[in-house]
Amino acid sequence: MNPADATRQIYWNISHIWVMYLLLLPTVAIAGYGIYRQFARWRRGLPAARFDRPAKRVQLLVKHAFAQRRTARNRYAGLFHRLVTYGFIVLTIATTIVALDADFGTTIMRGNFYLYFQSFVVDIFGALVMVGIGMAATRRYLMRPKQLVYTNEATLILAVIFLMCLQGFLIEGWRIAATNDPWGAWSPFGNAVARGSLQLMSVEAIRGAHGGVWWSHVVLSFGFIAWVPYTKMMHVITAPLNIYTANLVPLGATLRSIDFEKAESFGVNSFEDFTWKDLLDLDACTECGRCTSVCPANIVGKELSPRDIILQLRDLMHEELRISDFGFRIDKPKDKIRYETSGSNSDKSAIRNPQSAIIAAVPATSPLSLWQCTTCAACMQACPVFIEQMPKIVDMRRHLVMEEADFPDSMQEAILSLERRGHPFSGTQSTRIDWTEGLNIRQVSETDDAEVLLWVGCGGALIERNQRVTRATAQLLEQAGVKFAIMGREEKCSGDPARRIGNEFLFETLAKENVANLNKHHVKKVVTACPHCFNTFKNEYPQYGGRFEVFHHSEYLADLVSEGRLKSHTGSDKKITFHDPCYLGRQNGVYDAPRELVQISTKESVVEMERSRKKSFCCGGGGGMSFVEEPPDKRVNQERAREVLESGADVLAVGCPFCMTMMEDGINARKGEREVKVMDVSELLWEAAQPRAAETFVTTPG
């Protein structure tokens, strides 16, 4: 046999092929309408610019849609998902080649290509799809992870895909058996079916079975194609599209601004208030539940579930579309829909009108859930298809705050204090410059040669424990010979708490005022110990004319060390672990600089907690939650404190005033007889650089 002659008859044993093409017409029409309806739904949203920088977007597509980097973080799920995805790609290519040969007279299915790809490779990948489906079923029905959504639709999808592949092997194997195909050995799994079938069936029986299964395979495959746009399998289209249109800015820059001169309402409380990308997000969800599995509020038992917010809003959006399709609406809530939420083991019910407001329309968007978000963005970082859950929560908060004035009392106190006093701490008696007592600290209004502005921030200036951090930072800058100054009494809150709570108008007011003051003093370079201020200056102030070179104090101090301007003379013998602040690490990618400071401050290796760097667990203080009294048994800071104590560390290093407060409280509640200190990285560096001077900041002057 000459391998150059290798091929097969495409429609062996099959007649009336025209019937297949007749069935293809409604298949394309039904699937096409489903896809069109999805696009029409997204177009109802507001504009969003998501098609710039195409090269970067294609890179994202290759990395996360094809290579599935985020999906692969869960090794088991990542493996079976890749098996099914790559198997489907290969099978689709093979089917396309068959169609080209059959319908257009090409001769692609010939020779070595037929043997190596169309026979051997396709057989292997078809089998891998079945293995992947088996692994998925094992995970879903035996392992049963909590974060998954369990529906009959998911079961049916797995069953249909497995059955289609099985039919394909039966069709191939019976053809090989009945024709005694000389090239059958190149299709190992089809050949195994052929050998087994010849032991059990006659050639005539094989011919009859082949024809019946061939047509049932056509009907099942076409039915599946038509069904896909109406099921979660639509994510094969929406997921790559969502990845391509992902926000290319850092996670800390994802909140959109409001044009208060043009906006008729503030925040989001209807689907028309979302952008088209927000609506695409809802349809792109793959129901994997990874967002909820990393949500700190959900982990400690609260009601918030980012997954349920997306899925329940998706269902609500689809219901609204169905009503508009039929040309009538429900004026009174009559239908009762059940939703299972992650915050409880029991089903929760909600009576809602699909045409009404979306806040509280489903259990997941209840105000109680929305106010539990710490805005840590762990959900966004975990999502394999780049859904933006956190900005949607903040958008709904904005409606509650600015349209209904409905938000927690303690957050209202913080907002009132921001409006009246320029900081969120209503009970403090400190001033912005109390921490400078005994130090020679200049203010920008008193000097014109400062190369750096030390932005102290509300927490660093007004919270007694954090004043020691600010003193340590200032003394290190002075020791390194850095010419720096502070805003002093001119400094006001950066506006981060106002924006994350939902008072966008107050944020904009503070932002414009701060930028004007900084520009008035010709500030070019800003150093701050607060990651929230760091994020605001770096990612949010530029749109208000504030374009500064911004450093977190750990970055700036690490640079001073590398330049030899700061030196470590001694290191502690204690074990130290570092807690990554959400707004420094996950949202802005700063991981190494604080660890460098920790490492030169100890003789031991830095101890890493199980959840660190991109997977770091929130302290619970972001999103205005540091101003809220949490239930004693559902405190995020205590869950993180548990992990700190399990690490065996003697010192927890932090790089954020909110983390300092939250983690000290959490550790004090959990530590028992153990002695675990919480120290900022600047305090650790000061101890290492000036061991005899360490006592100068241990207690606050006065």
Side-chain angles (χ1 to χ4, degrees):
M1 295 184 298
N2 185 356
D5 298 328
T7 189
R8 69 174 174 85
Q9 183 181 346
I10 293 177
Y11 292 127
W12 174 81
N13 196 40
I14 303 300
S15 59
H16 305 295
I17 298 299
W18 61 269
V19 176
M20 179 184 70
Y21 292 97
L22 188 64
L23 292 173
L24 183 61
L25 294 177
T27 298
V28 172
I30 295 171
Y33 174 72
I35 295 173
Y36 162 78
R37 195 171 70 155
Q38 297 265 33
F39 277 85
R41 182 161 55 230
W42 306 332
R43 290 184 64 185
R44 296 166 57 194
L46 299 173
R50 295 299 182 90
F51 294 99
D52 59 326
R53 300 166 62 185
K56 176 65 175 178
R57 296 187 182 281
V58 170
Q59 184 181 2
L60 272 182
L61 203 63
V62 171
K63 185 184 295 185
H64 296 289
F66 182 75
Q68 302 181 12
R69 294 276 293 274
R70 285 194 176 185
T71 303
R73 289 172 184 167
N74 181 311
R75 291 185 179 180
Y76 186 88
L79 176 59
F80 75 68
H81 199 275
R82 281 174 165 173
L83 293 180
V84 174
T85 301
Y86 298 153
F88 252 94
I89 290 173
V90 170
L91 293 176
T92 300
I93 293 172
T95 303
T96 302
I97 291 171
V98 170
L100 291 173
D101 261 27
D103 299 331
F104 298 98
T106 62
T107 56
I108 303 174
M109 286 177 51
R110 298 290 187 276
N112 288 332
F113 179 81
Y114 171 75
L115 295 177
Y116 287 103
F117 178 77
Q118 204 73 6
S119 297
F120 183 74
V121 171
V122 171
D123 234 43
I124 295 298
F125 275 87
L128 291 178
V129 171
M130 297 181 73
V131 171
I133 294 297
M135 292 175 65
T138 299
R139 180 173 183 255
R140 179 169 287 272
Y141 304 112
L142 296 180
M143 300 177 182
R144 296 190 67 82
K146 177 184 175 183
Q147 72 265 26
L148 289 185
V149 177
Y150 295 89
T151 62
N152 293 332
E153 178 186 282
T155 301
L156 189 56
I157 288 172
L158 292 178
V160 169
I161 294 175
F162 187 87
L163 183 56
M164 286 193 299
C165 290
L166 179 61
Q167 288 175 328
F169 281 121
L170 291 175
I171 292 168
E172 179 185 52
W174 289 338
R175 176 190 60 77
I176 292 172
T179 61
N180 193 25
D181 186 351
W183 312 107
W186 285 87
S187 303
F189 295 99
N191 199 42
V193 171
R195 293 190 178 191
S197 297
L198 287 172
Q199 301 295 320
L200 302 173
M201 305 165 65
S202 67
V203 172
E204 287 304 315
I206 288 175
R207 282 178 174 270
H210 174 273
V213 172
W214 194 94
W215 280 109
S216 69
H217 181 66
V218 168
V219 172
L220 184 63
S221 299
F222 284 6
F224 183 72
I225 292 170
W227 184 48
V228 160
Y230 306 91
T231 70
K232 65 175 288 185
M233 273 301 293
M234 181 63 179
H235 79 265
V236 299
I237 296 174
T238 56
L241 180 58
N242 211 50
I243 292 171
Y244 183 84
T245 57
N247 207 330
L248 301 182
V249 300
L251 292 181
T254 53
L255 298 185
R256 57 176 172 149
S257 299
I258 297 176
D259 187 339
F260 287 99
E261 294 183 359
K262 296 181 180 179
E264 296 180 359
S265 61
F266 307 132
V268 168
N269 195 25
S270 71
F271 292 114
E272 286 73 19
D273 295 329
F274 280 132
T275 68
W276 65 262
K277 176 58 170 62
D278 290 318
L279 301 181
L280 171 59
D281 274 356
L282 304 184
D283 279 323
C285 182
T286 63
E287 302 181 0
C288 68
R290 296 189 187 197
C291 53
T292 290
S293 70
V294 298
C295 173
N298 190 269
I299 287 173
V300 298
K302 295 181 182 180
E303 289 76 11
L304 175 62
S305 169
R307 178 202 69 188
D308 292 344
I309 288 175
I310 298 300
L311 293 181
Q312 292 180 19
L313 284 179
R314 179 199 66 186
D315 293 345
L316 197 62
M317 178 174 65
H318 290 185
E319 183 70 13
E320 181 176 310
L321 181 66
R322 280 192 289 271
I323 290 173
S324 64
D325 281 349
F326 285 108
F328 65 87
R329 60 175 292 172
I330 300 175
D331 291 317
K332 294 182 180 180
K334 297 178 180 178
D335 52 337
K336 195 172 186 179
I337 293 185
R338 297 180 67 83
Y339 291 101
E340 182 176 339
T341 64
S342 300
S344 171
N345 292 326
S346 61
D347 285 349
K348 295 186 177 182
S349 300
I351 301 177
R352 87 283 180 277
N353 179 351
Q355 297 289 341
S356 65
I358 62 175
I359 298 176
V362 290
T365 60
S366 69
L368 175 63
S369 297
L370 299 179
W371 291 120
Q372 292 171 345
C373 178
T374 66
T375 67
C376 68
C379 52
M380 296 174 65
Q381 197 273 332
C383 181
V385 296
F386 287 72
I387 291 171
E388 298 162 25
Q389 301 92 338
M390 183 267 286
K392 293 175 181 54
I393 293 174
V394 173
D395 278 338
M396 287 185 278
R397 283 182 170 189
R398 288 171 171 176
H399 177 86
L400 291 171
V401 172
M402 293 188 288
E403 292 284 346
E404 300 182 13
D406 180 15
F407 56 113
D409 291 343
S410 53
M411 286 186 179
Q412 291 186 36
E413 292 176 6
I415 293 296
L416 286 173
S417 182
L418 277 169
E419 291 174 342
R420 295 171 181 173
R421 308 173 69 185
H423 64 75
F425 305 114
S426 58
T428 184
Q429 299 299 313
S430 299
T431 72
R432 291 276 181 183
I433 59 173
D434 284 356
W435 67 271
T436 66
E437 186 178 342
L439 300 178
N440 184 24
I441 305 297
R442 299 182 300 172
Q443 298 186 34
V444 289
S445 59
E446 303 168 346
T447 180
D448 58 2
D449 66 342
E451 59 186 85
V452 172
L453 172 74
L454 176 60
W455 181 269
V456 180
C458 303
L462 303 172
I463 301 300
E464 183 177 353
R465 174 62 185 90
N466 286 310
Q467 288 175 348
R468 306 199 317 246
V469 176
T470 307
R471 289 177 65 84
T473 303
Q475 288 173 292
L476 286 166
L477 293 177
E478 186 176 33
Q479 181 173 310
V482 177
K483 294 180 180 179
F484 72 96
I486 63 173
M487 292 293 291
R489 298 185 188 277
E490 290 187 72
E491 184 177 291
K492 288 191 174 183
C493 180
S494 67
D496 167 84
R499 183 167 229 199
R500 270 66 193 178
I501 288 173
N503 195 326
E504 181 70 9
F505 183 80
L506 178 56
F507 164 74
E508 184 173 299
T509 300
L510 290 168
K512 289 180 177 179
E513 185 174 348
N514 284 331
V515 168
N517 281 336
L518 292 167
N519 287 340
K520 178 182 69 176
H521 293 297
H522 308 291
V523 172
K524 302 298 182 185
K525 186 178 294 186
V526 177
V527 174
T528 179
C530 177
H532 296 260
C533 296
F534 169 77
N535 178 74
T536 301
F537 272 81
K538 182 179 179 181
N539 296 318
E540 297 174 340
Y541 276 10
Q543 72 181 92
Y544 301 104
R547 292 174 175 81
F548 314 107
E549 191 177 1
V550 188
F551 298 88
H552 185 251
H553 75 319
S554 65
E555 295 179 294
Y556 198 77
L557 294 174
D559 286 343
L560 293 176
V561 171
S562 66
E563 294 169 5
R565 298 170 68 179
L566 284 176
K567 295 182 180 179
S568 173
H569 297 287
T570 183
S572 170
D573 293 325
K574 295 181 178 180
K575 292 182 180 179
I576 305 176
T577 189
F578 179 69
H579 163 77
D580 290 278
C582 300
Y583 275 75
L584 182 65
R586 182 182 301 112
Q587 300 204 32
N588 282 288
V590 178
Y591 297 106
D592 295 330
R595 282 174 170 79
E596 291 173 12
L597 299 186
V598 173
Q599 188 58 72
I600 64 177
S601 303
T602 178
K603 298 175 183 177
E604 304 287 335
S605 297
V606 178
V607 178
E608 290 287 0
M609 287 181 275
E610 181 179 353
R611 291 179 289 201
S612 63
R613 291 184 175 265
K614 289 183 179 180
K615 296 181 179 179
S616 182
F617 194 75
C618 183
C619 74
M625 290 301 296
S626 59
F627 307 106
V628 175
E629 185 67 23
E630 298 181 273
D633 60 335
K634 298 178 180 180
R635 294 186 174 177
V636 174
N637 61 340
Q638 291 191 19
E639 169 64 17
R640 185 57 163 170
R642 177 192 60 78
E643 196 168 2
V644 173
L645 296 172
E646 288 179 355
S647 73
D650 304 302
V651 177
L652 171 64
V654 297
C656 171
F658 288 101
C659 294
M660 175 69 77
T661 300
M662 300 300 291
M663 294 314 303
E664 279 197 334
D665 289 347
I667 287 176
N668 287 336
R670 284 267 191 173
K671 69 179 182 179
E673 298 298 320
R674 282 192 59 187
E675 185 61 34
V676 179
K677 288 185 177 181
V678 183
M679 299 181 68
D680 188 85
V681 292
S682 64
E683 294 179 298
L684 291 170
L685 180 60
W686 179 250
E687 280 194 347
Q690 294 286 340
R692 294 184 180 180
E695 296 299 320
T696 61
F697 65 89
V698 172
T699 59
T700 303

